[in-house]
């Protein structure tokens, strides 16, 4: 059996805390009918005072009446297929869930996107 060092356990616990805190933030945003549209590691911030992770940069976020958005806005590698591959179709908050999943994938895979050796997405991801 391989034993984990204390540093590895702390790092793993921080990733779990980040996932939890940002998951809660996304849920709160979606309940207000806001689609963030740019969930990625660069938009996650740590608040030392409250000791929690926060979701920031709502610059391209949209409030919706019906829960749907239609303009294409995303960061390469984090955009959901329904957002990346369309100019006419509408999408909903599940696009944020895809981005959240990609963010966690990258975080848990040494900052590598699927089918990539580094922090650069490839066409194979889709």
């Amino acid at each position: 059996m391989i034993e984990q060092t204390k540093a590895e356990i702390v790092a793993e616990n921080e990733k779990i805390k980040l996932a939890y805190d940002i998951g809660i933030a996304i849920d709160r945003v979606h309940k207000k009918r806001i689609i963030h549209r740019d969930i990625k590691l660069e938009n996650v911030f740590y608040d030392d005072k409250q000791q929690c992770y926060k979701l920031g940069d709502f610059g391209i976020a949209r409030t919706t009446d019906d829960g749907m958005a239609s303009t294409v806005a995303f960061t390469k590698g984090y955009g959901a297929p329904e957002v990346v591959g369309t100019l006419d179709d509408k999408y909903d908050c599940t696009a944020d869930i895809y981005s959240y999943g990609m963010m966690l994938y990258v975080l848990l895979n040494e900052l590598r996107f699927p089918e990539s050796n580094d922090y650069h997405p490839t066409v194979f991801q889709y």
Side-chain angles (χ1 to χ4, degrees):
M1 184 167 109
I2 299 173
E3 290 188 38
Q4 287 183 303
T5 66
K6 186 174 181 180
E8 290 171 328
I9 293 169
V10 169
E12 188 174 296
N13 287 342
E14 279 303 304
K15 290 175 185 176
I16 293 167
K17 180 165 179 41
L18 181 149
Y20 178 81
D21 290 349
I22 298 305
I24 294 295
I26 292 168
D27 180 55
R28 288 179 181 160
V29 166
H30 288 172
K31 285 180 179 172
K32 293 181 180 184
R33 293 186 175 244
I34 297 171
I35 303 174
H36 187 279
R37 305 192 316 169
D38 201 22
I39 296 171
K40 59 185 178 180
L41 289 171
E42 291 85 350
N43 289 337
V44 172
F45 304 94
Y46 188 75
D47 183 328
D48 282 325
K49 189 174 182 180
Q50 295 181 2
Q51 295 190 344
C52 66
Y53 291 92
K54 294 186 175 186
L55 181 61
D57 191 359
F58 283 76
I60 62 172
R62 289 290 174 260
T63 302
T64 64
D65 292 328
D66 63 357
M68 303 296 284
S70 59
T71 55
V72 177
F74 64 93
T75 295
K76 187 177 178 182
Y78 290 100
E82 64 266 29
V83 177
V84 173
T86 185
L87 292 177
D88 299 321
D89 295 335
K90 289 187 171 191
Y91 55 91
D92 62 11
C93 65
T94 58
D96 280 350
I97 302 303
Y98 179 91
S99 301
Y100 173 63
M102 283 308 306
M103 181 189 78
L104 295 178
Y105 179 93
V106 168
L107 181 65
L108 296 171
N109 286 281
E110 300 175 6
L111 300 180
R112 291 189 308 241
F113 280 93
E115 302 295 325
S116 176
N117 293 326
D118 55 20
Y119 192 64
H120 292 82
T122 68
V123 295
F124 299 110
Q125 176 180 335
Y126 293 101

